[in-house]
Amino acid sequence: MITTRDINFLPIEEENRENGVQTHFEEFKIYQKRELSHRHALQLFSKHAFRMDSPPHDYYHISRDIICKTGRLPLALEVIGSSLCGKSKPLWNATLKKLDFVPIQNVHHKLKISFDMLEDAQKEIFLDTACYFIGEENIHPHYMWKASVISPKVEIFVLSRMSLIKVDGNDRLSMHNLLKDLGREIIRQEDKVLEKRSRLWSPKDSLDVLQNRKGTENIIALKLTGLPKEHNFTSEEFSWLPNLKLLELEGGNLRGDFNNLLSSLKWLSWCRCPSDLQAVNLCLGNLVVLKLSDSKIPENWNGWGPFLANRDLKVLHLMRCYLLTSPDISSFLNLRILVFAEHCPESPQIGSSIDKLKRLKRLEITAAIVQPSKFSQSPHFDLCIVPSAICRLKNLSILKLEGQCMRELHPSIGDMASLMCSSLVHCYRLRKLPDSIGKLRLLLELNLFNTRIRELPDSIADLKMLEKMKLGRTRIRELPNSIGGLESLLDLDLQCTEITTLPASIGYLKRLRRLTMIFSKMRELPTSIGDLKMLEHMNLHSTLIMELPNSIGGLESLLHLDLQQTMIKELPASIGYLKRIKRLYTYGSKIREPQKAIGMLENLETLEYHGSGNVDMTWPPRLTALHIFCDDPLSLPRLPSGLRLLEFNGVKYPIEQPLLSQLRCLPELILCRWELREIEFKQLENLHRLVVRGCKSLVRLSGLSSLAKLESLSIMRCSQLIEIQDLEEMESLEKLSIGECSSIERLPDLSKLLKLRSLFVRDCKSHQGLPNLPNSLEKLTIVNWSYMKRLPDLSKLHKLRRLSISHCKSLQDLPNLPNTCGLNVHACPKLGESRAFREFCSRCRESNPRLCSRSPPMYG
């Protein structure tokens, strides 16, 4: 399926197009998306303009007129409605008049009406985000805008309320594609001449302006990343850009005398910066944000001087930088964010002077979980104890020390009065929390995942504002009764722990919404579990629980219940009281016949069915995903008409015509553990995703060419499979996964699959190597290809962004890759990466059962 606003690339006959007649080849059909109905358009507009489902009586007629003028386009209704929220009636009338001059089909002009209503500072933030900061953490450009005398908190709030910018749950900036296009179109309309525009986001355009000395004082931002090859830039080239505020570089170097150049630069992002900076007299006196990544920085690096010349630097962010020594940051008294991410320096010098950074709000030191192969070792801070100097940072609100070797926290951590988030993930040696942890009265999140903490101090109950606590993969055997004092707790994660039961005080966590106990040793739930009236998600996957208490029916807000791989044989009758529940998973449990009460769950969308098919079963009315675990699909009750996903598990008999006729509109199908030698696909013309898994008797797949809309195909653990017919003809395929199909001698030519973006190959015994690959490929993953010695040249796959290779024992050389492609190598001894066990690698876990038994799988 292709969604587009421009059909010019489609093979439509020109003469017919002029006559307004839509013709097409047989390979595709055109569906014109209809506008919203008047009722739904009025409701959507009212939600944003008045924060209710319908307009007030005195605004009804003008609301109706605005809806008509927008052509009932959802985004225009949302943006214009949000822009008018709380505004005076004269402004409403003025907006309506502007819409009179905009053609119905011109979406950009409608949206630009809201842009024109913005103040100058809001316009700057909108345009910067559209050109550069989509997906960026909000806090980083926040400091750049603030240095430009803009109040980003206020302005982003206004832009969010106007639906022009969104800030997601991870505090990252996002924007609708139409709004991004609008912002960039506004820049294009600044001037027909490229170099007279304010922002250049296309690396090709930026390179052209720079190398041809066409820069002007209008240009304030350049992006020079993702170019086919690296370039060195001279001081003369930058001399034409006196007002440059933002610069993004990738590779290359700076050469020449930069005296009095780049003096206005506030943001510098440089991926693969040079180990020997060749610029002379470079002084970035107004730099606010410095982000370096994927760089090898030697001892006494000559870049620190010019880059850190500004004492008002607010953000220093180093990602995957191989540092022999850490920079001296003790004099940067205005630093707010300091990050050493993934590749961390060997020297712990930071601990002795960091207490001078009195205004520091965020400190992150995270060790690399995935090590590079033969290219470099990745040293990290060897913090045996959190230095007391860090604990003297009274303004610190976020502290992340992840993957470090520290054994304990300094007791003075309780003095960090402003701390709101503390993450100690993967600190394997950490065994104990000090009692002073209870003094962190503002703490909202405590993450101890994958540490050796054995118990929680009773003072944990003093954290009255704590909302998230992650204790997964710790050594904790029981929770203190005082945990009931965490009155603000929303999320409690106990996965992969030794905890066997919960204290009765768990019922006092009145605000708890998520309770995760997956792979824990939990054996029973207390009756008080029914007191958790706000609980929405409860995950008991792979626990030792044998029955649910009848009080489970008291979980009136429950949406998601996972009982997979448990010992539960029967659901209590009170399960029928869970009127809001949407997803119920029971795969691998002892439940064999569904209770009739399940049919009463009027909001249930996902169900796992274990019946023989002869039970008097009434499907819940809103069921869209059904997982069936019985060997004879013909004995099932008639399937629900609104299914979006269907899984058959353990089928012994072929699916016959009556059942297939019910599946013509099905978009997703999973076939697991079938005992058939051949599967032929037919009458599934609307199928978008197909999974064939664990069918050990399967020899041949056929009829794939009839699945004209299939986008994702996964074939796993089919050890007898010899042939996959017509795979090379599946032109709509975007994602292909083939694993543990040892009888397949060679993979077919994939070069004709022009939409294929992801290819995953695992446990392939083929001697033939990789087939021809399409230029559309973005991600390639190869696991345990035993006989493969070399990979082909991949440098022409310009869209390739990620190559992951693991457990390829014969692989001798790495291929040529595009400059923009990231590389992840693991357990390939001839490439210099031979570590035997990595807990995050599924292949490692399967081949090391003893280690696997001590270290349960990751699900966090």
Side-chain angles (χ1 to χ4, degrees):
M1 180 179 293
I2 301 171
T3 304
T4 179
R5 302 188 299 277
D6 181 2
I7 62 171
N8 285 307
F9 68 93
L10 295 174
I12 298 174
E13 296 296 335
E14 192 66 32
E15 62 272 17
N16 288 335
R17 185 189 302 173
E18 291 176 357
N19 295 329
V21 178
Q22 289 187 341
T23 62
H24 50 78
F25 294 143
E26 294 181 358
E27 286 82 358
F28 68 89
K29 295 180 181 180
I30 294 176
Y31 171 74
Q32 185 69 40
K33 182 71 173 71
R34 296 178 180 176
E35 68 273 8
L36 287 174
S37 67
H38 176 79
R39 179 171 63 87
H40 288 137
L42 185 63
Q43 183 182 31
L44 178 62
F45 179 78
S46 299
K47 280 183 178 294
H48 293 280
F50 307 108
R51 307 295 187 243
M52 49 188 182
D53 288 339
S54 59
H57 177 73
D58 55 335
Y59 276 82
Y60 175 79
H61 292 290
I62 192 170
S63 297
R64 182 195 61 188
D65 292 343
I66 289 175
I67 288 168
C68 293
K69 298 296 182 183
T70 60
R72 287 178 279 175
L73 297 168
L75 182 62
L77 291 170
E78 180 181 340
V79 170
I80 294 174
S82 299
S83 302
L84 294 173
C85 182
K87 298 297 192 301
S88 63
K89 201 72 170 281
L91 186 58
W92 280 64
N93 290 319
T95 301
L96 183 59
K97 287 182 179 179
K98 285 185 180 180
L99 287 170
D100 283 333
F101 297 100
V102 179
I104 282 292
Q105 70 274 14
N106 199 323
V107 180
H108 276 193
H109 284 185
K110 293 185 180 73
L111 298 176
K112 192 172 183 296
I113 291 173
S114 294
F115 176 82
D116 291 337
M117 294 168 62
L118 299 176
E119 297 176 0
D120 289 344
Q122 294 159 2
K123 289 179 178 179
E124 290 296 305
I125 291 177
F126 177 82
L127 294 174
D128 281 346
T129 303
C131 296
Y132 304 103
F133 294 137
I134 293 177
E136 183 71 49
E137 277 193 80
N138 177 30
I139 191 64
H140 295 152
H142 168 97
Y143 287 110
M144 185 192 77
W145 290 321
K146 197 171 182 180
S148 301
V149 199
I150 292 175
S151 300
K153 281 187 179 179
V154 175
E155 310 303 359
I156 288 178
F157 176 77
V158 172
L159 290 166
S160 297
R161 290 294 298 268
M162 293 177 68
S163 299
L164 293 172
I165 282 181
K166 290 184 171 133
V167 182
D168 65 19
N170 295 318
D171 199 40
R172 293 185 180 274
L173 295 167
S174 63
M175 180 181 285
H176 193 285
N177 280 340
L178 276 177
L179 293 170
K180 179 191 75 174
D181 294 345
L182 170 67
R184 296 185 175 190
E185 183 60 27
I186 289 170
I187 299 298
R188 291 188 190 99
Q189 292 177 5
E190 289 178 347
D191 201 287
K192 292 182 179 180
V193 180
L194 190 67
E195 55 268 23
K196 291 186 179 180
R197 300 172 187 170
S198 61
R199 296 162 178 85
L200 300 179
W201 59 88
S202 165
K204 183 178 178 181
D205 290 344
S206 299
L207 184 64
D208 176 60
V209 167
L210 203 61
Q211 290 191 329
N212 292 300
R213 277 70 166 175
K214 296 191 295 185
T216 67
E217 61 183 12
N218 294 344
I219 298 176
I220 63 171
L222 283 181
K223 187 171 186 176
L224 290 157
T225 62
L227 292 166
K229 63 178 182 178
E230 295 183 357
H231 297 267
N232 295 323
F233 301 107
T234 66
S235 55
E236 184 181 354
E237 292 167 342
F238 279 104
S239 66
W240 298 86
L241 302 167
N243 295 320
L244 195 65
K245 295 180 181 179
L246 181 148
L247 177 62
E248 294 189 6
L249 298 171
E250 183 173 5
N253 211 324
L254 298 179
R255 293 179 176 173
D257 189 347
F258 278 77
N259 188 34
N260 294 324
L261 298 182
L262 299 180
S263 58
S264 299
L265 199 66
K266 290 181 170 60
W267 175 292
L268 175 61
S269 173
W270 200 339
C271 177
R272 299 199 312 275
C273 67
S275 55
D276 181 20
L277 185 66
Q278 297 178 7
V280 178
N281 294 325
L282 178 63
C283 182
L284 306 179
N286 287 299
L287 196 65
V288 177
V289 179
L290 175 61
K291 302 184 73 173
L292 305 178
S293 60
D294 298 295
S295 304
K296 294 183 181 180
I297 297 177
E299 190 173 1
N300 299 324
W301 185 48
N302 63 338
W304 288 133
F307 287 167
L308 302 181
N310 179 18
R311 302 303 182 193
D312 288 327
L313 190 74
K314 298 296 192 301
V315 178
L316 178 57
H317 191 284
L318 307 177
M319 171 77 76
R320 294 184 299 274
C321 288
Y322 178 68
L323 302 174
L324 289 177
T325 60
S326 57
D328 181 11
I329 43 93
S330 60
S331 59
F332 296 95
L333 304 182
N334 289 304
L335 200 65
R336 300 297 198 276
I337 296 176
L338 177 59
V339 176
F340 295 91
E342 296 191 32
H343 288 189
C344 298
E346 186 174 25
S347 169
Q349 295 174 6
I350 188 172
S352 60
S353 60
I354 196 171
D355 62 342
K356 296 180 181 179
L357 307 180
K358 301 297 184 182
R359 298 186 178 183
L360 196 67
K361 292 185 175 181
R362 179 171 173 177
L363 174 62
E364 296 184 23
I365 306 173
T366 62
I369 296 176
V370 179
Q371 305 282 356
S373 58
K374 61 184 178 182
F375 304 109
S376 68
Q377 299 299 315
S378 180
H380 55 80
F381 285 98
D382 187 12
L383 299 175
C384 294
I385 183 172
V386 174
S388 58
I390 291 180
C391 299
R392 290 195 289 271
L393 298 173
K394 304 299 184 183
N395 288 306
L396 201 68
S397 59
I398 298 176
L399 175 62
K400 292 186 179 182
L401 302 173
E402 299 181 354
Q404 306 306 317
C405 297
M406 57 189 175
R407 299 187 181 94
E408 60 181 291
L409 297 177
H410 197 279
S412 62
I413 193 171
D415 298 334
M416 303 179 73
S418 299
L419 200 62
M420 300 175 69
C421 173
S422 178
S423 178
L424 303 167
V425 173
H426 306 309
C427 292
Y428 307 101
R429 298 184 182 181
L430 186 64
R431 297 175 180 272
K432 186 179 179 181
L433 291 180
D435 289 335
S436 60
I437 199 81
K439 295 180 180 180
L440 303 176
R441 302 301 168 87
L442 297 181
L443 197 66
L444 300 176
E445 182 174 350
L446 178 60
N447 195 339
L448 301 172
F449 187 84
N450 205 17
T451 63
R452 293 191 179 185
I453 298 289
R454 296 182 178 276
E455 62 180 359
L456 295 176
D458 287 335
S459 63
I460 201 79
D462 296 330
L463 303 178
K464 299 299 183 183
M465 296 184 65
L466 193 68
E467 295 181 353
K468 294 182 180 181
M469 183 161 64
K470 297 186 179 295
L471 304 176
R473 291 177 59 87
T474 61
R475 302 295 178 88
I476 295 174
R477 292 182 176 273
E478 63 178 354
L479 296 176
N481 199 51
S482 61
I483 198 168
L486 299 176
E487 57 193 38
S488 299
L489 198 64
L490 303 175
D491 187 345
L492 178 59
D493 185 349
L494 305 175
Q495 63 176 296
C496 305
T497 63
E498 302 290 320
I499 297 173
T500 58
T501 187
L502 297 173
S505 62
I506 198 78
Y508 293 123
L509 303 179
K510 300 299 184 183
R511 298 185 62 196
L512 194 66
R513 295 188 178 181
R514 183 180 294 271
L515 179 58
T516 305
M517 294 171 276
I518 183 171
F519 277 94
S520 71
K521 298 296 177 65
M522 196 70 60
R523 293 182 177 274
E524 61 178 343
L525 295 177
T527 303
S528 61
I529 198 77
D531 296 332
L532 302 178
K533 302 299 183 183
M534 301 294 290
L535 194 67
E536 296 177 352
H537 296 261
M538 184 161 69
N539 196 332
L540 299 170
H541 190 302
S542 299
T543 60
L544 304 177
I545 289 178
M546 301 185 68
E547 64 177 349
L548 296 176
N550 200 51
S551 63
I552 198 81
L555 301 178
E556 57 192 39
S557 299
L558 198 65
L559 301 174
H560 177 117
L561 178 59
D562 193 332
L563 305 176
Q564 296 182 78
Q565 304 291 345
T566 63
M567 306 296 290
I568 297 173
K569 296 181 180 179
E570 186 175 356
L571 297 175
S574 63
I575 201 80
Y577 295 124
L578 304 178
K579 297 300 184 182
R580 293 191 63 199
I581 194 167
K582 291 186 176 182
R583 297 174 181 85
L584 176 60
Y585 298 103
T586 59
Y587 171 72
S589 68
K590 301 296 182 181
I591 301 171
R592 284 296 171 262
E593 299 293 346
Q595 275 70 16
K596 291 184 179 180
I598 289 180
M600 300 166 55
L601 304 178
E602 57 193 37
N603 286 301
L604 194 67
E605 297 174 356
T606 300
L607 173 65
E608 291 180 345
Y609 178 91
H610 292 263
S612 63
N614 298 316
V615 178
D616 182 14
M617 179 69 186
T618 301
W619 302 114
R622 298 189 180 183
L623 200 63
T624 58
L626 179 59
H627 305 263
I628 297 174
F629 300 86
C630 68
D631 59 7
D632 185 4
L634 296 179
S635 64
L636 291 169
R638 183 170 179 82
L639 296 175
S641 58
L643 282 183
R644 304 286 299 168
L645 181 150
L646 179 61
E647 176 181 357
F648 287 114
N649 198 307
V651 176
K652 297 180 181 179
Y653 310 108
I655 294 182
E656 302 293 344
Q657 176 69 28
L659 188 58
L660 279 173
S661 64
Q662 298 183 52
L663 306 180
R664 297 182 74 102
C665 298
L666 189 73
E668 185 168 353
L669 177 63
I670 300 174
L671 307 178
C672 185
R673 297 192 298 117
W674 281 37
E675 297 182 16
L676 304 177
R677 288 180 57 81
E678 182 171 354
I679 302 175
E680 182 178 359
F681 298 96
K682 53 186 177 181
Q683 298 186 1
L684 300 175
E685 57 263 29
N686 285 295
L687 203 64
H688 290 267
R689 179 173 180 260
L690 173 63
V691 177
V692 181
R693 182 173 61 230
C695 302
K696 296 183 179 179
S697 302
L698 185 64
V699 175
R700 182 176 293 103
L701 283 177
S702 60
L704 289 175
S705 58
S706 66
L707 306 180
K709 297 182 179 180
L710 198 69
E711 297 174 353
S712 175
L713 175 62
S714 176
I715 305 171
M716 308 296 291
R717 298 197 295 278
C718 299
S719 56
Q720 301 299 316
L721 184 64
I722 297 175
E723 186 177 5
I724 308 172
Q725 292 184 353
D726 304 329
L727 180 60
E728 63 274 19
E729 298 179 14
M730 302 182 68
E731 296 181 356
S732 61
L733 201 64
E734 296 183 6
K735 183 177 181 180
L736 175 62
S737 300
I738 300 177
E740 299 177 69
C741 299
S742 55
S743 297
I744 297 178
E745 293 186 357
R746 70 167 60 194
L747 296 177
D749 186 353
L750 303 178
S751 60
K752 295 181 181 179
L753 304 184
L754 301 181
K755 295 182 180 179
L756 192 68
R757 295 184 293 108
S758 174
L759 175 61
F760 175 92
V761 183
R762 171 181 165 141
D763 292 277
C764 182
K765 307 300 181 183
S766 169
H767 290 258
Q768 304 299 323
L770 281 176
N772 294 327
L773 300 174
N775 292 331
S776 58
L777 201 65
E778 297 176 7
K779 182 179 180 182
L780 175 60
T781 304
I782 302 171
V783 181
N784 195 36
W785 202 327
S786 305
Y787 303 106
M788 182 176 60
K789 294 183 179 180
R790 287 179 177 83
L791 287 172
D793 185 357
L794 303 177
S795 60
K796 294 183 179 180
L797 301 182
H798 296 301
K799 294 186 178 180
L800 194 65
R801 294 292 178 267
R802 187 72 172 171
L803 173 62
S804 298
I805 308 170
S806 63
H807 296 276
C808 294
K809 298 180 180 179
S810 301
L811 190 62
Q812 297 176 356
D813 296 301
L814 289 171
N816 295 322
L817 298 174
N819 291 334
T820 56
C821 181
L823 178 65
N824 177 14
V825 179
H826 165 60
C828 299
K830 293 188 177 181
L831 294 179
E833 220 293 359
S834 58
R835 287 175 300 139
F837 181 77
R838 183 200 287 171
E839 61 183 336
F840 308 106
C841 174
S842 58
R843 179 67 187 175
C844 284
R845 304 189 63 80
E846 292 170 4
S847 57
N848 293 273
R850 291 180 62 188
L851 290 172
C852 187
S853 64
R854 295 200 304 266
S855 179
M858 291 282 295
Y859 285 89

